[in-house]
Amino acid sequence: MSNPAVLLRTTDGLNITREDVKAKLKLRMAKSLSLALNVHMLKQFTSTIALIALSFVSNAADAPQPILRGGIVLPLYPSDSPQLNKEHVREQEYYNMSKAVPARITWITNIHNPSIEVHAVESGINTGAAIILAAGGGHRTLNVGSESADFVPFFYGYGVNTIILRNRLRADGYNVQSNAVNDAFQAIRLVRAHAKEWNIDANKIGIMGFSAGAELAAPAALLFDEFDKANNDPQFAGITSRPGFVALVSPGPSPFGRGGNPPIPRNTPPAFVTCGGSGDRVHAIWANEFFAAMLQAGIPNVEMHVYGNGRHPGEQMSDGSRMAAGLADRNGIPFGKWQDRFIEWFRDLGFLQKSGIETRAARDIAAFVEQPQRRSDRR
């Protein structure tokens, strides 16, 4: 009697059973799945591989260490750039470590080889938006803990790529306007130059500055044409340093501060401004100077939040504690939720939609540029 499990008998007398067929099918499916996964993983890691490769060829011997695990550090300038101080460029940065949290860098000094640290998001949630973070510290230190590193996971949750800027400091012998501000412009240009390979939307690259870092972000909104003309590196031919948006948090003086009256380009990007009020009066006045100038010029989509209860980060409170910075809750006061207001503004302008889709911010600016300039808009 024939065995019903045997489907086929070969010429050399071997039996092929149903279980043999099932096993073969499972093996083929496993191989196919493995191949599909490998292709998917290859696509996922393409931008990361490109970043790592670039980090090795871009002055790798002098590149500083990542602030956060997984960050890819890229120097802003080649090692022979006239922008760099040859006597100090190979000096090690100084990292002030947290006494409470292991391996947490709170601030940095001795920055002679300025750089960016790229933190990408997964392709499945990537909006293509990228925020360059310029930390504060009074130009004496760079407070990268609370005003850079903490924002990487925060923005990751919204599908936003984060780039930490390590700019040169006045305390290390550099000029804010001619060195630190240029570092911000160079960072914008460098990210845009590699936008495609890093899966970033070239039109959704902006900068957020905190306190002294806002003294880099505010000029970035206004002086991009001047920088591009003065720094016409063939490597960046046709690549603008204009940011797609700016955010100023508890800002230091902008180009409008202390009697400044710079021209405002018609294509000035949208801006988000926030600060404590009377408790941080000087910074609130600087915030208002920038906002009022944008409003007077008619620049679209400029938003400001000044909070009645709030001090400048680091300032001593009545109970002896110090005002927290960055994403801190600030004991539950409304100023502790400014980042939520930023996300609302960011979403409203279309920066959180899929990569490659024109933002409302871009459409509004294009429409504004086409309008005849009113006499009241001229400065």
Side-chain angles (χ1 to χ4, degrees):
M1 186 174 178
S2 63
N3 187 345
V6 176
L7 296 180
L8 179 68
R9 184 184 298 275
T10 65
T11 56
D12 54 1
L14 292 177
N15 294 331
I16 305 297
T17 68
R18 297 179 190 276
E19 294 304 317
D20 292 330
V21 174
K22 288 180 180 179
K24 288 284 186 181
L25 287 173
K26 286 182 180 180
L27 181 60
R28 288 191 178 184
M29 289 175 66
K31 288 182 177 179
S32 298
L33 179 59
S34 176
L35 178 61
L37 285 173
N38 286 335
V39 171
H40 176 70
M41 289 172 67
L42 181 61
K43 290 180 179 179
Q44 282 275 53
F45 290 115
T46 296
S47 59
T48 303
I49 291 169
L51 280 169
I52 293 172
L54 187 60
S55 72
F56 275 106
V57 299
S58 299
N59 201 13
D62 305 324
Q65 297 301 306
I67 296 166
L68 280 181
R69 184 177 178 182
I72 304 299
V73 180
L74 303 173
L76 292 179
Y77 310 100
S79 58
D80 60 349
S81 171
Q83 293 279 356
L84 300 176
N85 185 329
K86 300 293 190 298
E87 294 181 9
H88 299 286
V89 70
R90 292 184 180 274
E91 290 183 13
Q92 294 295 311
E93 296 176 348
Y94 173 78
Y95 302 113
N96 183 71
M97 309 303 294
S98 170
K99 296 177 182 179
V101 182
R104 175 177 170 83
I105 300 173
T106 56
W107 50 262
I108 303 175
T109 57
N110 208 46
I111 301 169
H112 299 288
N113 189 15
S115 62
I116 56 173
E117 180 175 322
V118 183
H119 291 271
V121 299
E122 294 283 356
S123 60
I125 61 171
N126 189 7
T127 63
I131 296 181
I132 298 169
L133 298 171
H139 306 294
R140 297 182 298 276
T141 63
L142 201 65
N143 299 342
V144 295
S146 59
E147 294 177 345
S148 290
D150 291 350
F151 283 84
V152 173
F154 174 78
F155 284 129
Y156 183 97
Y158 292 96
V160 176
N161 303 274
T162 309
I163 292 96
I164 299 174
L165 171 64
R166 270 182 264 201
N167 57 273
R168 291 168 288 182
L169 299 170
R170 185 162 54 205
D172 294 325
Y174 296 100
N175 180 276
V176 174
Q177 283 72 39
S178 60
N179 297 129
V181 170
N182 280 5
D183 291 346
F185 279 123
Q186 182 74 355
I188 295 168
R189 208 161 58 158
L190 184 60
V191 174
R192 184 165 283 126
H194 295 283
K196 185 176 181 180
E197 62 194 272
W198 297 351
N199 296 321
I200 289 173
D201 187 328
N203 297 312
K204 295 164 72 172
I205 300 166
I207 183 168
M208 173 181 285
F210 301 83
S211 191
E215 295 178 50
L216 281 56
L222 302 166
L223 308 177
F224 45 87
D225 281 338
E226 293 180 22
F227 175 84
D228 290 346
K229 290 175 183 176
N231 298 272
N232 55 351
D233 188 333
Q235 177 186 354
F236 298 103
I239 299 174
T240 177
S241 62
R242 176 189 175 276
F245 59 88
V246 299
L248 313 180
V249 183
S250 302
S254 74
F256 304 105
R258 299 164 179 157
N261 188 32
I264 301 176
R266 295 281 287 174
N267 63 336
T268 295
F272 178 92
V273 186
T274 188
C275 193
S278 58
D280 192 11
R281 188 174 65 87
V282 172
H283 293 87
I285 289 172
W286 284 329
N288 189 59
E289 285 174 342
F290 182 88
F291 176 76
M294 296 296 103
L295 198 63
Q296 177 66 34
I299 301 302
N301 298 312
V302 179
E303 182 167 315
M304 182 167 70
H305 296 263
V306 175
Y307 293 89
N309 184 9
R311 303 291 294 274
H312 198 71
E315 287 188 358
Q316 190 166 352
M317 310 289 285
S318 59
D319 62 359
S321 65
R322 294 190 177 276
M323 174 59 73
L327 294 168
D329 183 64
R330 293 173 170 84
N331 293 324
I333 62 175
F335 191 24
K337 297 296 183 184
W338 70 266
Q339 62 270 19
D340 295 336
R341 307 291 80 77
F342 171 79
I343 290 296
E344 291 167 354
W345 173 82
F346 205 55
R347 188 189 304 278
D348 185 43
L349 294 187
F351 289 107
L352 294 183
Q353 61 192 1
K354 290 183 179 180
S355 182
I357 300 176
E358 186 180 34
T359 63
R360 184 167 75 81
R363 292 195 301 271
D364 289 351
I365 291 170
F368 178 71
V369 169
E370 292 298 317
Q371 294 175 4
Q373 188 172 5
R374 299 174 299 177
R375 186 181 298 273
S376 61
D377 294 342
R378 297 170 186 159
R379 292 182 62 85

